[in-house]
Amino acid sequence: MLSVLQRQKQAYLDEGEVTAATRIDRIDRAIALLRDNEDAFVDALARDFGHRPRNVSRVADIMTPVVSLKHAKKHIRRWMKPEKRKLDSPLGLLGAKAHIRYQPKGVVGIISPWNLPVALTFGPLAGVFAAGNRVMIKPSEFTPATAQLMARLFAAAYDETEVAVFTGGPDVGEAFSTLPFDHLLFTGSTAVGRRVMQAAAENLVPVTLEMGGKSPVIVGRGADIEQAAERLIITKLVNAGQLCLAPDFIFVSEDRKQELVDALEAATVEMYPTMRDNPDYCAVISEEHRARLQGFLENAETLGAQVRMVNPAGENFAGVDTGAKMPLSIVVDPTDDMDLMQEEIFGPVLPVKGYRHVGEAIDYINAHPRPLGLYYFGTDHREEERVMTETTSGGVTVNDVGFHFLQEGLPFGGVGASGMGRYHGIDGYKEFSHAKAVYHQARVNIARLIGLKPPYGEKLEKTLDREIKK
C-alpha cells in the first residue's frame, strides 16, 4: 500500500496542473462504472446482506452517488475559478488584490463502511475527483462481494496511480489508516473513528470523519402524527435501520405517546404486511448483528421497558433463509441504563420516549454526544426555532428524515462524536482541496506608507494609534 501511495504522489507531481478535462474524465468513468455495472452491484449487495431489496440498492447505492458525481461534473469549471477576496482599506484602493486558489491536496484515502458500501465509496469521489486528487480506497470487509467487485471494476477503469483499492480485514484497515495520505476520509463507528484519527495524527494527516451516533427525533405537540409516523418508518426500515442517519430514538409528548406508537405500527403494517419473504424488506447484515439487536431487546425488557414487536403476519424469523431478517420492535419508555440507549442501534429497533414539555427533550439531547442528524416534526415555528437554536447536530431535516443528506447544495458532516469535516457539492470540493491564499501587492510601497520601514517613527505611531484605538 505504501508503494502505491508513493507512486500516486509522484504521478500527481509529474502531472502538474490537473485540468478540468482530466477531473471530468475521472468523474465520467466513475459514473460509467455505476451505470454499466448496476446489476452486478445490486447482486453483490444482495449476497452480502443475505437479502436486500433491488430498488433499495438502486436508490441508496447507485442513484445517490450518480447524482453527486453529476452535480460535481456540472460545476467543476466554476468551482475551479479563483475566489476573489476583499482587502482591508486602503489596500484595495491602492491596487492590491487577493484571492483563494483551490489546489488539489494530492492523494486522498477513503475508508468506506458496509451499510452503503457503494454510495459511500463513489459519493465522496465526486469531491475528491472534482478537487483534482488521486485516491486509495479500503472498503469494508463485512461486504466482501461488493468490495471485490469494486476492486475489479476500478482496476479495469483506472490506472493504479489514479485509483487503487485494497480489500482485506481489520489488519489491512489498520495499516491503511497509518499511511501518510494528504487527506483521509473515514465513515463508520465512533469507536473505530477514534482509532483512525489517532493513527492519522502520527503523520499529521487531516481527516474527515463521518460517524453517525444516536440521531434523535422530536415530535412536537402540533405535529401530524400519522404523517410523522409514515415518514419515520420509511427511513427507519428502508435498509433495516442500517443507516447512519436513521432515526435512533423518538421524543413525543406524553399525551400523544400512545397515538404515535399506534401510528408507527399502522405505518409498518401498511408498508410491510409480511416481512419474512417480502422482497421489499431488507435483512440485517449478519446473524451476529441480529443477535446484538436481539440482546438490546432482551436487556430492555429485563429492565422494564415495553417492547412492542410489529410482525403483521405472525411470521417465524428463526433460521430464516432469506438473510438475517428481523421485524421492527418499538421500545416504549426506555431508560438510560438500557443498552439500546447507550449505543447506536443500527437496526429495526425504535425507542419512543415521552416528554412533558419540549425543553426536557432538548435537555436530554444536549446531555448526550452530538448526533449526525436531528429531526423535528411540527408546525409550531417558535418551538422549531427553539429546537434549532438550543441543540447542535451535524444537520437537521424538518418534517421528514434524512433529506438534508440528499441535497448536494448542503454540506454533510457530523460534529463532536458524530464526526468532523463536511462534503457534498462545493463543500466536498473545498474539503478535499487546499485553500491557498494569494495576495498581490500594490505598486505603492505599503511598508513605507504606513511607517513599517525602519527607522520607526511618528508615521508608524499614528498608524498604530489609528488601527488600535479607532
Side-chain angles (χ1 to χ4, degrees):
M1 290 190 294
L2 181 59
S3 173
V4 172
L5 175 59
Q6 290 170 340
R7 288 194 292 114
Q8 285 205 0
K9 287 192 172 188
Q10 189 59 52
Y12 166 71
L13 293 174
D14 292 343
E15 182 179 13
E17 180 186 4
V18 187
T19 66
T22 295
R23 302 177 195 210
I24 289 169
D25 172 62
R26 289 172 181 165
I27 287 178
D28 279 339
R29 280 181 275 163
I31 294 171
L33 283 187
L34 292 168
R35 287 175 172 169
D36 297 345
N37 300 281
E38 179 181 338
D39 289 341
F41 278 120
V42 169
D43 291 344
L45 288 161
R47 290 198 301 276
D48 284 332
F49 274 79
H51 174 75
R52 200 179 196 225
R54 174 177 175 79
N55 283 332
V56 168
S57 292
R58 293 188 71 206
V59 169
D61 272 297
I62 306 297
M63 183 197 76
T64 301
V66 166
V67 168
S68 297
L69 290 159
K70 287 166 62 179
H71 179 87
K73 177 184 175 180
K74 178 180 179 181
H75 295 284
I76 279 177
R77 295 184 189 278
R78 179 169 59 84
W79 292 346
M80 289 177 65
K81 293 179 180 179
E83 182 182 305
K84 294 180 180 180
R85 293 292 179 93
K86 289 185 177 181
L87 292 169
D88 294 335
S89 181
L91 293 173
L93 296 175
L94 295 172
K97 295 181 181 179
H99 68 267
I100 302 294
R101 184 181 296 270
Y102 290 99
Q103 188 173 36
K105 288 193 170 181
V107 179
V108 176
I110 295 177
I111 302 176
S112 55
W114 57 261
N115 62 318
L116 297 174
V118 180
L120 294 178
T121 299
F122 279 81
L125 290 180
V128 169
F129 284 156
N133 300 292
R134 293 159 188 263
V135 63
M136 291 171 59
I137 299 165
K138 168 57 178 76
S140 172
E141 64 271 19
F142 293 110
T143 46
T146 306
Q148 290 294 337
L149 177 62
M150 286 195 293
R152 178 171 61 82
L153 293 176
F154 275 120
Y158 296 86
D159 186 84
E160 193 177 48
T161 60
E162 292 179 296
V163 179
V165 179
F166 297 91
T167 60
D171 55 331
V172 177
E174 183 177 346
F176 189 91
S177 65
T178 67
L179 296 173
F181 295 111
D182 298 300
H183 195 101
L184 179 61
L185 166 65
F186 166 81
T187 305
S189 71
T190 301
V192 177
R194 286 193 177 98
R195 297 200 295 271
V196 168
M197 186 175 181
Q198 186 175 22
E202 291 296 319
N203 292 302
L204 298 179
V205 176
V207 295
T208 302
L209 304 177
E210 304 297 348
M211 301 186 298
K214 298 182 72 62
S215 295
V217 179
I218 296 178
V219 179
R221 291 184 183 276
D224 182 327
I225 291 291
E226 288 188 4
Q227 181 190 80
E230 179 182 79
R231 294 177 180 181
L232 286 163
I233 292 300
I234 286 173
T235 305
K236 182 65 175 179
L237 296 184
V238 70
N239 200 42
Q242 298 164 122
L243 296 173
C244 58
L245 282 167
D248 199 272
F249 62 93
I250 304 172
F251 269 109
V252 63
S253 61
E254 283 286 353
D255 59 334
R256 304 194 75 186
K257 183 171 62 180
Q258 190 59 50
E259 182 186 358
L260 177 64
V261 171
D262 291 341
L264 290 168
E265 179 170 356
T268 305
V269 171
E270 179 187 2
M271 286 180 253
Y272 304 101
T274 64
M275 294 179 176
R276 187 184 188 280
D277 299 310
N278 188 335
D280 291 337
Y281 195 73
C282 187
V284 296
I285 190 66
S286 66
E287 287 291 347
E288 291 76 14
H289 190 48
R290 182 164 68 170
R292 170 183 171 272
L293 295 167
Q294 193 60 45
F296 282 171
L297 298 174
E298 293 168 2
N299 172 262
E301 279 193 307
T302 299
L303 294 178
Q306 175 194 347
V307 177
R308 187 161 164 176
M309 182 182 293
V310 185
N311 184 2
E315 296 165 293
N316 179 13
F317 286 84
V320 61
D321 57 4
T322 53
K325 287 188 176 182
M326 64 182 297
L328 172 70
S329 292
I330 302 170
V331 181
V332 184
D333 295 327
T335 53
D336 260 13
D337 58 341
M338 297 176 185
D339 292 342
L340 84 172
M341 295 305 294
Q342 297 176 20
E343 299 179 35
E344 185 176 6
I345 292 172
F346 231 65
V349 175
L350 189 54
V352 177
K353 294 173 67 70
Y355 65 78
R356 290 168 297 177
H357 53 82
V358 76
E360 289 182 350
I362 291 171
D363 289 344
Y364 182 93
I365 291 167
N366 287 337
H368 292 78
R370 291 170 172 175
L372 183 59
L374 182 145
Y375 310 113
Y376 171 79
F377 287 84
T379 57
D380 186 330
H381 296 298
R382 185 174 298 176
E383 182 179 74
E384 176 189 328
E385 184 60 25
R386 183 181 177 189
V387 172
M388 297 298 109
T389 301
E390 296 183 18
T391 64
T392 301
S393 60
V396 177
T397 294
V398 176
N399 286 322
D400 216 317
V401 179
F403 270 75
H404 64 282
F405 170 81
L406 299 173
Q407 311 310 308
E408 288 299 310
L410 291 176
F412 171 69
V415 57
S418 60
M420 62 180 66
R422 357 224 89 6
Y423 65 101
H424 285 196
I426 191 171
D427 298 285
Y429 172 80
K430 291 183 177 181
E431 182 81 354
F432 301 119
S433 297
H434 166 57
K436 180 187 285 185
V438 180
Y439 175 83
H440 289 270
Q441 185 59 283
R443 291 186 179 182
V444 175
N445 189 328
I446 299 297
R448 178 181 292 174
L449 183 68
I450 65 175
L452 273 176
K453 181 180 177 181
Y456 305 131
E458 184 179 352
K459 186 181 291 186
L460 180 58
E461 292 290 340
K462 290 181 178 179
T463 297
L464 292 170
D465 288 343
R466 182 176 66 250
E467 294 302 320
I468 293 170
K469 297 178 180 179
K470 69 176 180 182

